[in-house]
Amino acid sequence: LDFVAEPGKTTAIIGSTGCGKSTLLQLIPRLYDVTEGSITLDGIDIRKYNRTAFYRLFSAVFQQFSILPVTIAEIVSETTPENIDYNKVKRCLIVAGLWNKIEQLTNGVNSQFGKTIYDDGVEFSGGEIQKLLLARAMYKNAPVMLLDEPTAALDPIAESTLYGNYNQISFQKTTVFVSHRLASTSFCDRIILIENGKICE
């Protein structure tokens, strides 16, 4: 594979199940190291960058994720309560399409997530968790956004709403968007189709 994700543009990666889309997305932020070839940032092999500093460049929504049993605000902001920008949390949840749900909770963004520890913890559906993860990625506000099938668990109306908000989600960001559906990539600047380990279109 050989392609360039242009700064400030959205590149879609599509292909059938098992063709390597998710693996490719995890190679970009160096969650795995390539065994052949190289991935470069500004012409420099990413293995030469400080790993911690390099991670700060990315906001991501992957298919595999971890959510701690803390408050909604802490999940979105990934910080301690005294450092949370609650207005920013609200903006991210609105754009992600989850604010109406959060508003109805007794403690709002201060509601505890999950029933692992708290009997009154909030449980979310698969689609709502995807929205929560998207809000978390937006809050981080990193210059590069990686989205791996971020609408897979959403119903068609929620998916359409999310795409309607996409310019707010990816404003001035370099985005790589993985999907298995061509129809969901119409908002992207460039679409790359992977087949049999190669870019075929």
Side-chain angles (χ1 to χ4, degrees), residues 3-111:
F3 71 94
V4 175
E6 295 182 29
K9 302 286 188 180
T10 298
T11 303
I13 309 289
I14 64 169
S16 58
T17 302
C19 75
K21 303 182 299 294
S22 296
T23 302
L24 174 60
L25 206 68
Q26 291 170 7
L27 285 168
I28 292 171
R30 207 185 160 196
L31 298 184
Y32 302 114
D33 277 333
V34 293
T35 53
E36 293 180 37
S38 64
I39 298 172
T40 63
L41 172 66
D42 290 340
I44 299 170
D45 191 314
I46 61 173
R47 289 169 289 195
K48 294 182 179 178
Y49 288 99
N50 174 278
R51 191 184 286 264
T52 303
F54 187 67
Y55 281 162
R56 292 194 188 104
L57 299 176
F58 300 94
S59 293
V61 177
F62 292 120
Q63 290 186 41
Q64 294 178 306
F65 55 85
S66 176
I67 301 178
L68 295 173
V70 293
T71 67
I72 305 300
E74 287 173 283
I75 292 168
V76 173
S77 64
E78 295 186 291
T79 189
T80 52
E82 62 272 16
N83 294 314
I84 296 172
D85 181 338
Y86 285 91
N87 289 327
K88 188 175 178 182
V89 168
K90 180 179 178 179
R91 286 197 306 272
C92 293
L93 288 167
I94 288 171
V95 175
L98 193 58
W99 182 249
N100 289 343
K101 167 83 174 186
I102 303 301
E103 261 190 323
Q104 294 170 14
L105 302 175
T106 304
N107 296 315
V109 294
N110 292 313
S111 301

